Amino acid sequence: MPAFTDILPSLLSSLLAPTLVLRAQACHALGGFAYAVANIRPSAVHTRISGIVASYLRPADSPSPPPDVSGNTTPSAQKLPPGSPKRDATIVRTLRTMLSTTEPRHVAQGPVWAWMVISYFVVLLGPTVYEDDAICRTITALFTLGLRHSKSSVRNIGFMAWRTMIWAYFHASSNRTLADGEQDPEDADENEDEQERAFHTASQAMQMKNAWKVMVTVLDVGAGSAIIAELLAQPSVDELTLRRALGVLRAMSRKGGHTCKEAIDAAMDLLGVSDAHAAEDPVEAPMLLPHGLFCAEPGLLTCDWPSLPSTARPIFEQCLRAHNIRKLTDDELSTNWVFNILLLVFRNGLAAVKLTWGVTCPVRYRHPLRGTFGCADHSSAA
């Protein structure tokens, strides 16, 4: 990877190449590079790569306004205010345009290309995506725009791309290593001001709290279940982690629709009564970086617009099946507030059920472990 890092700037510039074929090839190459970076041991290379991508995404400085023939600054050349979309980097403006496209003639002109590039950027940025406020606002604004697309398959790819944001929160923090020539804190002066250390620790805690708030803004289409699975897959699960996991579960149950159904399924996993646990299938690690999103030729980068749903569905279904949530321990289940939250989740699920008049309600329920039980007829069910 260090050898390929030297050509990363030219690879990024090829994303804005004059030909669509070259843009698609650059996207494919960047995906392979990002997938490899995510699967190597943490080193100073990650810091260098993150810096290159961050510089590529930062807002461009506005040039000084040129004077007119009389020496006065023309109104059209006034300095753009901070936060103006026209100050964004060229790649950011391009991604914004692509995410809004509804009928692209080529994949490099549409939202699929944009989602993939955004995913690769997030992986290459690592923790910088949350540490740099300007970049965090840029990335989240792009997600907000893309998740409003009129085509459901495009929105689903966006939810799949959000998994890279989850990965950056849970995994990429270990990639934050010292750049070349930077002093190791352990080798610093032992007489360092304790107040400064405390301030640094408090700053990191606040930064992680803000990152958490950003990450949980998207909980639909498997994202919330992946967050719960990652939280409970940590080596040590303290009360704060458990509260966060169940807080995400409760927020999902309040949304209704498919997200509420996912919350009920996740609650069944937590209780150990889902089909996956009943069949004693091995619990896989949450798939936050689906291979089909990073190796997409053939795949998402070669399919035409009408065939996008059939091409994206296998990748998406693989993601949904890959985040089995571990069962809570007996000690965790015996906690009063845990039981209360689970009960509230099931109540929200019942409240979200929509039945039409005259429909026959189910009167028998087959427990995956204990067999069939329930009422024999409608009168007893009532």
Side-chain angles (χ1 to χ4, degrees), residues 270-308:
L270 293 174
L271 294 173
V273 295
S274 66
D275 293 337
H277 291 291
E280 297 184 355
D281 291 337
V283 179
E284 302 177 6
M287 182 178 291
L288 300 180
L289 303 180
H291 188 265
L293 185 63
F294 292 81
C295 184
E297 190 173 333
L300 294 175
L301 280 176
T302 56
C303 70
D304 53 8
W305 185 250
S307 62
L308 176 61

mmCIF file of all heavy atoms in Angstrom, residues 270-308:
data_model
loop_
_atom_site.group_PDB
_atom_site.id
_atom_site.type_symbol
_atom_site.label_atom_id
_atom_site.label_comp_id
_atom_site.label_asym_id
_atom_site.label_seq_id
_atom_site.Cartn_x
_atom_site.Cartn_y
_atom_site.Cartn_z
ATOM 1 N N LEU A 270 -31.639 -10.538 20.472
ATOM 2 C CA LEU A 270 -31.150 -10.263 21.823
ATOM 3 C C LEU A 270 -31.676 -11.272 22.832
ATOM 4 O O LEU A 270 -30.982 -11.635 23.795
ATOM 5 C CB LEU A 270 -31.558 -8.847 22.239
ATOM 6 C CG LEU A 270 -30.900 -7.689 21.476
ATOM 7 C CD1 LEU A 270 -31.512 -6.361 21.897
ATOM 8 C CD2 LEU A 270 -29.398 -7.667 21.713
ATOM 9 N N LEU A 271 -32.891 -11.746 22.606
ATOM 10 C CA LEU A 271 -33.478 -12.742 23.505
ATOM 11 C C LEU A 271 -33.074 -14.163 23.148
ATOM 12 O O LEU A 271 -33.368 -15.097 23.904
ATOM 13 C CB LEU A 271 -35.005 -12.621 23.480
ATOM 14 C CG LEU A 271 -35.574 -11.313 24.044
ATOM 15 C CD1 LEU A 271 -37.076 -11.247 23.809
ATOM 16 C CD2 LEU A 271 -35.257 -11.186 25.521
ATOM 17 N N GLY A 272 -32.438 -14.326 22.005
ATOM 18 C CA GLY A 272 -31.989 -15.653 21.597
ATOM 19 C C GLY A 272 -33.069 -16.545 21.062
ATOM 20 O O GLY A 272 -32.941 -17.772 21.118
ATOM 21 N N VAL A 273 -34.163 -15.995 20.536
ATOM 22 C CA VAL A 273 -35.270 -16.806 20.044
ATOM 23 C C VAL A 273 -35.494 -16.607 18.554
ATOM 24 O O VAL A 273 -36.527 -16.994 18.027
ATOM 25 C CB VAL A 273 -36.579 -16.478 20.802
ATOM 26 C CG1 VAL A 273 -36.459 -16.866 22.255
ATOM 27 C CG2 VAL A 273 -36.923 -14.999 20.662
ATOM 28 N N SER A 274 -34.537 -16.014 17.864
ATOM 29 C CA SER A 274 -34.680 -15.840 16.422
ATOM 30 C C SER A 274 -34.331 -17.129 15.713
ATOM 31 O O SER A 274 -33.775 -18.066 16.296
ATOM 32 C CB SER A 274 -33.765 -14.712 15.935
ATOM 33 O OG SER A 274 -32.409 -15.074 16.106
ATOM 34 N N ASP A 275 -34.664 -17.188 14.437
ATOM 35 C CA ASP A 275 -34.400 -18.392 13.652
ATOM 36 C C ASP A 275 -32.911 -18.690 13.573
ATOM 37 O O ASP A 275 -32.494 -19.840 13.563
ATOM 38 C CB ASP A 275 -34.971 -18.229 12.246
ATOM 39 C CG ASP A 275 -36.494 -18.164 12.268
ATOM 40 O OD1 ASP A 275 -37.080 -18.662 13.244
ATOM 41 O OD2 ASP A 275 -37.069 -17.610 11.317
ATOM 42 N N ALA A 276 -32.081 -17.640 13.505
ATOM 43 C CA ALA A 276 -30.640 -17.847 13.387
ATOM 44 C C ALA A 276 -30.087 -18.527 14.626
ATOM 45 O O ALA A 276 -29.307 -19.472 14.552
ATOM 46 C CB ALA A 276 -29.932 -16.510 13.149
ATOM 47 N N HIS A 277 -30.527 -18.071 15.820
ATOM 48 C CA HIS A 277 -30.048 -18.697 17.047
ATOM 49 C C HIS A 277 -30.655 -20.067 17.252
ATOM 50 O O HIS A 277 -30.018 -20.971 17.781
ATOM 51 C CB HIS A 277 -30.381 -17.799 18.241
ATOM 52 C CG HIS A 277 -29.590 -16.527 18.270
ATOM 53 N ND1 HIS A 277 -28.239 -16.505 18.508
ATOM 54 C CD2 HIS A 277 -29.963 -15.232 18.077
ATOM 55 C CE1 HIS A 277 -27.800 -15.253 18.489
ATOM 56 N NE2 HIS A 277 -28.818 -14.464 18.218
ATOM 57 N N ALA A 278 -31.910 -20.244 16.826
ATOM 58 C CA ALA A 278 -32.570 -21.536 17.013
ATOM 59 C C ALA A 278 -31.888 -22.615 16.191
ATOM 60 O O ALA A 278 -31.772 -23.756 16.607
ATOM 61 C CB ALA A 278 -34.041 -21.426 16.637
ATOM 62 N N ALA A 279 -31.431 -22.246 14.992
ATOM 63 C CA ALA A 279 -30.766 -23.220 14.127
ATOM 64 C C ALA A 279 -29.305 -23.398 14.481
ATOM 65 O O ALA A 279 -28.606 -24.183 13.848
ATOM 66 C CB ALA A 279 -30.889 -22.777 12.674
ATOM 67 N N GLU A 280 -28.828 -22.654 15.517
ATOM 68 C CA GLU A 280 -27.444 -22.726 15.956
ATOM 69 C C GLU A 280 -26.477 -22.427 14.820
ATOM 70 O O GLU A 280 -25.420 -23.038 14.697
ATOM 71 C CB GLU A 280 -27.146 -24.102 16.561
ATOM 72 C CG GLU A 280 -27.972 -24.401 17.808
ATOM 73 C CD GLU A 280 -27.587 -25.728 18.423
ATOM 74 O OE1 GLU A 280 -26.764 -26.439 17.821
ATOM 75 O OE2 GLU A 280 -28.109 -26.038 19.499
ATOM 76 N N ASP A 281 -26.856 -21.472 13.981
ATOM 77 C CA ASP A 281 -25.947 -21.041 12.929
ATOM 78 C C ASP A 281 -24.852 -20.184 13.540
ATOM 79 O O ASP A 281 -25.068 -19.471 14.527
ATOM 80 C CB ASP A 281 -26.701 -20.214 11.874
ATOM 81 C CG ASP A 281 -27.660 -21.072 11.085
ATOM 82 O OD1 ASP A 281 -27.422 -22.296 11.033
ATOM 83 O OD2 ASP A 281 -28.650 -20.529 10.540
ATOM 84 N N PRO A 282 -23.649 -20.233 12.972
ATOM 85 C CA PRO A 282 -22.589 -19.384 13.491
ATOM 86 C C PRO A 282 -22.924 -17.913 13.273
ATOM 87 O O PRO A 282 -23.405 -17.522 12.212
ATOM 88 C CB PRO A 282 -21.355 -19.807 12.666
ATOM 89 C CG PRO A 282 -21.918 -20.422 11.421
ATOM 90 C CD PRO A 282 -23.214 -21.057 11.838
ATOM 91 N N VAL A 283 -22.694 -17.116 14.296
ATOM 92 C CA VAL A 283 -22.978 -15.694 14.207
ATOM 93 C C VAL A 283 -21.825 -15.004 13.502
ATOM 94 O O VAL A 283 -20.692 -15.041 13.960
ATOM 95 C CB VAL A 283 -23.182 -15.094 15.609
ATOM 96 C CG1 VAL A 283 -23.446 -13.599 15.516
ATOM 97 C CG2 VAL A 283 -24.336 -15.788 16.310
ATOM 98 N N GLU A 284 -22.121 -14.402 12.370
ATOM 99 C CA GLU A 284 -21.087 -13.738 11.598
ATOM 100 C C GLU A 284 -20.858 -12.320 12.125
ATOM 101 O O GLU A 284 -21.711 -11.723 12.756
ATOM 102 C CB GLU A 284 -21.497 -13.662 10.124
ATOM 103 C CG GLU A 284 -21.772 -15.017 9.500
ATOM 104 C CD GLU A 284 -22.245 -14.882 8.070
ATOM 105 O OE1 GLU A 284 -22.233 -13.747 7.555
ATOM 106 O OE2 GLU A 284 -22.627 -15.900 7.486
ATOM 107 N N ALA A 285 -19.668 -11.814 11.850
ATOM 108 C CA ALA A 285 -19.383 -10.428 12.201
ATOM 109 C C ALA A 285 -20.195 -9.513 11.303
ATOM 110 O O ALA A 285 -20.499 -9.846 10.163
ATOM 111 C CB ALA A 285 -17.890 -10.143 12.033
ATOM 112 N N PRO A 286 -20.596 -8.377 11.806
ATOM 113 C CA PRO A 286 -21.384 -7.449 10.981
ATOM 114 C C PRO A 286 -20.622 -7.060 9.716
ATOM 115 O O PRO A 286 -19.454 -6.692 9.773
ATOM 116 C CB PRO A 286 -21.577 -6.242 11.905
ATOM 117 C CG PRO A 286 -21.409 -6.792 13.281
ATOM 118 C CD PRO A 286 -20.415 -7.893 13.171
ATOM 119 N N MET A 287 -21.287 -7.149 8.578
ATOM 120 C CA MET A 287 -20.652 -6.815 7.313
ATOM 121 C C MET A 287 -20.835 -5.326 7.052
ATOM 122 O O MET A 287 -21.852 -4.902 6.522
ATOM 123 C CB MET A 287 -21.240 -7.640 6.164
ATOM 124 C CG MET A 287 -20.576 -7.362 4.820
ATOM 125 S SD MET A 287 -21.239 -8.395 3.483
ATOM 126 C CE MET A 287 -20.630 -9.992 3.971
ATOM 127 N N LEU A 288 -19.853 -4.555 7.438
ATOM 128 C CA LEU A 288 -19.910 -3.118 7.253
ATOM 129 C C LEU A 288 -19.257 -2.682 5.952
ATOM 130 O O LEU A 288 -19.527 -1.587 5.469
ATOM 131 C CB LEU A 288 -19.242 -2.411 8.439
ATOM 132 C CG LEU A 288 -19.881 -2.687 9.798
ATOM 133 C CD1 LEU A 288 -19.129 -1.945 10.893
ATOM 134 C CD2 LEU A 288 -21.345 -2.289 9.797
ATOM 135 N N LEU A 289 -18.401 -3.518 5.397
ATOM 136 C CA LEU A 289 -17.740 -3.206 4.136
ATOM 137 C C LEU A 289 -18.037 -4.323 3.144
ATOM 138 O O LEU A 289 -17.204 -5.204 2.907
ATOM 139 C CB LEU A 289 -16.226 -3.044 4.337
ATOM 140 C CG LEU A 289 -15.781 -1.984 5.350
ATOM 141 C CD1 LEU A 289 -14.259 -1.944 5.451
ATOM 142 C CD2 LEU A 289 -16.329 -0.613 4.992
ATOM 143 N N PRO A 290 -19.215 -4.324 2.540
ATOM 144 C CA PRO A 290 -19.573 -5.404 1.600
ATOM 145 C C PRO A 290 -18.649 -5.407 0.399
ATOM 146 O O PRO A 290 -18.362 -4.363 -0.194
ATOM 147 C CB PRO A 290 -21.014 -5.057 1.200
ATOM 148 C CG PRO A 290 -21.173 -3.607 1.508
ATOM 149 C CD PRO A 290 -20.288 -3.329 2.672
ATOM 150 N N HIS A 291 -18.184 -6.587 0.033
ATOM 151 C CA HIS A 291 -17.216 -6.713 -1.048
ATOM 152 C C HIS A 291 -17.775 -6.204 -2.368
ATOM 153 O O HIS A 291 -17.049 -5.617 -3.180
ATOM 154 C CB HIS A 291 -16.782 -8.177 -1.171
ATOM 155 C CG HIS A 291 -15.651 -8.391 -2.129
ATOM 156 N ND1 HIS A 291 -15.845 -8.749 -3.447
ATOM 157 C CD2 HIS A 291 -14.305 -8.277 -1.965
ATOM 158 C CE1 HIS A 291 -14.673 -8.869 -4.049
ATOM 159 N NE2 HIS A 291 -13.730 -8.585 -3.179
ATOM 160 N N GLY A 292 -19.072 -6.423 -2.597
ATOM 161 C CA GLY A 292 -19.668 -5.983 -3.852
ATOM 162 C C GLY A 292 -19.700 -4.483 -4.026
ATOM 163 O O GLY A 292 -19.821 -3.989 -5.147
ATOM 164 N N LEU A 293 -19.601 -3.744 -2.931
ATOM 165 C CA LEU A 293 -19.576 -2.289 -3.021
ATOM 166 C C LEU A 293 -18.196 -1.781 -3.417
ATOM 167 O O LEU A 293 -18.070 -0.700 -3.991
ATOM 168 C CB LEU A 293 -19.983 -1.679 -1.674
ATOM 169 C CG LEU A 293 -20.128 -0.158 -1.615
ATOM 170 C CD1 LEU A 293 -21.248 0.328 -2.531
ATOM 171 C CD2 LEU A 293 -20.377 0.303 -0.178
ATOM 172 N N PHE A 294 -17.164 -2.563 -3.125
ATOM 173 C CA PHE A 294 -15.795 -2.130 -3.398
ATOM 174 C C PHE A 294 -15.213 -2.784 -4.642
ATOM 175 O O PHE A 294 -14.305 -2.238 -5.252
ATOM 176 C CB PHE A 294 -14.899 -2.437 -2.189
ATOM 177 C CG PHE A 294 -15.212 -1.605 -0.991
ATOM 178 C CD1 PHE A 294 -16.262 -1.936 -0.142
ATOM 179 C CD2 PHE A 294 -14.466 -0.482 -0.703
ATOM 180 C CE1 PHE A 294 -16.561 -1.167 0.962
ATOM 181 C CE2 PHE A 294 -14.761 0.305 0.397
ATOM 182 C CZ PHE A 294 -15.809 -0.041 1.232
ATOM 183 N N CYS A 295 -15.714 -3.947 -4.987
ATOM 184 C CA CYS A 295 -15.271 -4.623 -6.207
ATOM 185 C C CYS A 295 -16.499 -4.736 -7.116
ATOM 186 O O CYS A 295 -17.231 -5.726 -7.075
ATOM 187 C CB CYS A 295 -14.689 -5.995 -5.887
ATOM 188 S SG CYS A 295 -14.009 -6.859 -7.310
ATOM 189 N N ALA A 296 -16.713 -3.707 -7.913
ATOM 190 C CA ALA A 296 -17.988 -3.562 -8.617
ATOM 191 C C ALA A 296 -17.867 -3.633 -10.130
ATOM 192 O O ALA A 296 -18.727 -3.147 -10.852
ATOM 193 C CB ALA A 296 -18.633 -2.234 -8.226
ATOM 194 N N GLU A 297 -16.829 -4.234 -10.627
ATOM 195 C CA GLU A 297 -16.680 -4.360 -12.082
ATOM 196 C C GLU A 297 -16.233 -5.782 -12.407
ATOM 197 O O GLU A 297 -15.039 -6.115 -12.271
ATOM 198 C CB GLU A 297 -15.660 -3.351 -12.596
ATOM 199 C CG GLU A 297 -15.617 -3.243 -14.104
ATOM 200 C CD GLU A 297 -14.716 -2.123 -14.607
ATOM 201 O OE1 GLU A 297 -14.522 -1.135 -13.888
ATOM 202 O OE2 GLU A 297 -14.190 -2.277 -15.722
ATOM 203 N N PRO A 298 -17.120 -6.681 -12.794
ATOM 204 C CA PRO A 298 -18.546 -6.444 -13.090
ATOM 205 C C PRO A 298 -19.371 -6.298 -11.821
ATOM 206 O O PRO A 298 -19.013 -6.814 -10.770
ATOM 207 C CB PRO A 298 -18.950 -7.692 -13.869
ATOM 208 C CG PRO A 298 -18.040 -8.759 -13.342
ATOM 209 C CD PRO A 298 -16.733 -8.069 -13.053
ATOM 210 N N GLY A 299 -20.452 -5.572 -11.955
ATOM 211 C CA GLY A 299 -21.316 -5.310 -10.814
ATOM 212 C C GLY A 299 -21.995 -3.969 -10.962
ATOM 213 O O GLY A 299 -22.560 -3.655 -12.018
ATOM 214 N N LEU A 300 -21.945 -3.181 -9.910
ATOM 215 C CA LEU A 300 -22.645 -1.900 -9.907
ATOM 216 C C LEU A 300 -22.099 -0.929 -10.941
ATOM 217 O O LEU A 300 -22.842 -0.073 -11.439
ATOM 218 C CB LEU A 300 -22.562 -1.273 -8.509
ATOM 219 C CG LEU A 300 -23.300 -2.012 -7.389
ATOM 220 C CD1 LEU A 300 -23.028 -1.352 -6.046
ATOM 221 C CD2 LEU A 300 -24.797 -2.070 -7.666
ATOM 222 N N LEU A 301 -20.819 -1.049 -11.268
ATOM 223 C CA LEU A 301 -20.219 -0.123 -12.228
ATOM 224 C C LEU A 301 -20.437 -0.528 -13.676
ATOM 225 O O LEU A 301 -20.097 0.237 -14.584
ATOM 226 C CB LEU A 301 -18.716 0.020 -11.961
ATOM 227 C CG LEU A 301 -18.309 0.951 -10.822
ATOM 228 C CD1 LEU A 301 -16.806 0.923 -10.621
ATOM 229 C CD2 LEU A 301 -18.791 2.370 -11.072
ATOM 230 N N THR A 302 -20.983 -1.699 -13.902
ATOM 231 C CA THR A 302 -21.189 -2.164 -15.274
ATOM 232 C C THR A 302 -22.662 -2.367 -15.615
ATOM 233 O O THR A 302 -22.973 -2.655 -16.774
ATOM 234 C CB THR A 302 -20.432 -3.486 -15.507
ATOM 235 O OG1 THR A 302 -20.845 -4.453 -14.539
ATOM 236 C CG2 THR A 302 -18.933 -3.278 -15.397
ATOM 237 N N CYS A 303 -23.539 -2.243 -14.631
ATOM 238 C CA CYS A 303 -24.967 -2.448 -14.925
ATOM 239 C C CYS A 303 -25.567 -1.155 -15.469
ATOM 240 O O CYS A 303 -25.111 -0.057 -15.162
ATOM 241 C CB CYS A 303 -25.708 -2.896 -13.667
ATOM 242 S SG CYS A 303 -25.889 -1.624 -12.402
ATOM 243 N N ASP A 304 -26.591 -1.323 -16.297
ATOM 244 C CA ASP A 304 -27.279 -0.145 -16.803
ATOM 245 C C ASP A 304 -28.360 0.272 -15.805
ATOM 246 O O ASP A 304 -28.672 -0.427 -14.855
ATOM 247 C CB ASP A 304 -27.883 -0.412 -18.183
ATOM 248 C CG ASP A 304 -28.757 -1.661 -18.205
ATOM 249 O OD1 ASP A 304 -29.022 -2.224 -17.122
ATOM 250 O OD2 ASP A 304 -29.172 -2.080 -19.302
ATOM 251 N N TRP A 305 -28.935 1.426 -16.030
ATOM 252 C CA TRP A 305 -29.865 2.010 -15.068
ATOM 253 C C TRP A 305 -31.098 1.140 -14.830
ATOM 254 O O TRP A 305 -31.494 0.936 -13.670
ATOM 255 C CB TRP A 305 -30.253 3.409 -15.543
ATOM 256 C CG TRP A 305 -31.118 4.186 -14.607
ATOM 257 C CD1 TRP A 305 -32.424 4.522 -14.773
ATOM 258 C CD2 TRP A 305 -30.740 4.735 -13.334
ATOM 259 N NE1 TRP A 305 -32.883 5.249 -13.706
ATOM 260 C CE2 TRP A 305 -31.876 5.398 -12.797
ATOM 261 C CE3 TRP A 305 -29.556 4.726 -12.598
ATOM 262 C CZ2 TRP A 305 -31.850 6.042 -11.570
ATOM 263 C CZ3 TRP A 305 -29.530 5.369 -11.373
ATOM 264 C CH2 TRP A 305 -30.665 6.014 -10.873
ATOM 265 N N PRO A 306 -31.755 0.571 -15.851
ATOM 266 C CA PRO A 306 -32.945 -0.248 -15.579
ATOM 267 C C PRO A 306 -32.657 -1.508 -14.779
ATOM 268 O O PRO A 306 -33.520 -1.993 -14.045
ATOM 269 C CB PRO A 306 -33.470 -0.586 -16.983
ATOM 270 C CG PRO A 306 -32.927 0.490 -17.869
ATOM 271 C CD PRO A 306 -31.576 0.799 -17.311
ATOM 272 N N SER A 307 -31.455 -2.081 -14.903
ATOM 273 C CA SER A 307 -31.137 -3.332 -14.205
ATOM 274 C C SER A 307 -30.483 -3.097 -12.847
ATOM 275 O O SER A 307 -29.985 -4.043 -12.234
ATOM 276 C CB SER A 307 -30.211 -4.188 -15.073
ATOM 277 O OG SER A 307 -28.976 -3.531 -15.314
ATOM 278 N N LEU A 308 -30.480 -1.867 -12.361
ATOM 279 C CA LEU A 308 -29.845 -1.571 -11.082
ATOM 280 C C LEU A 308 -30.471 -2.341 -9.921
ATOM 281 O O LEU A 308 -29.730 -2.899 -9.092
ATOM 282 C CB LEU A 308 -29.890 -0.058 -10.819
ATOM 283 C CG LEU A 308 -29.341 0.404 -9.475
ATOM 284 C CD1 LEU A 308 -27.875 0.041 -9.332
ATOM 285 C CD2 LEU A 308 -29.546 1.912 -9.296
#
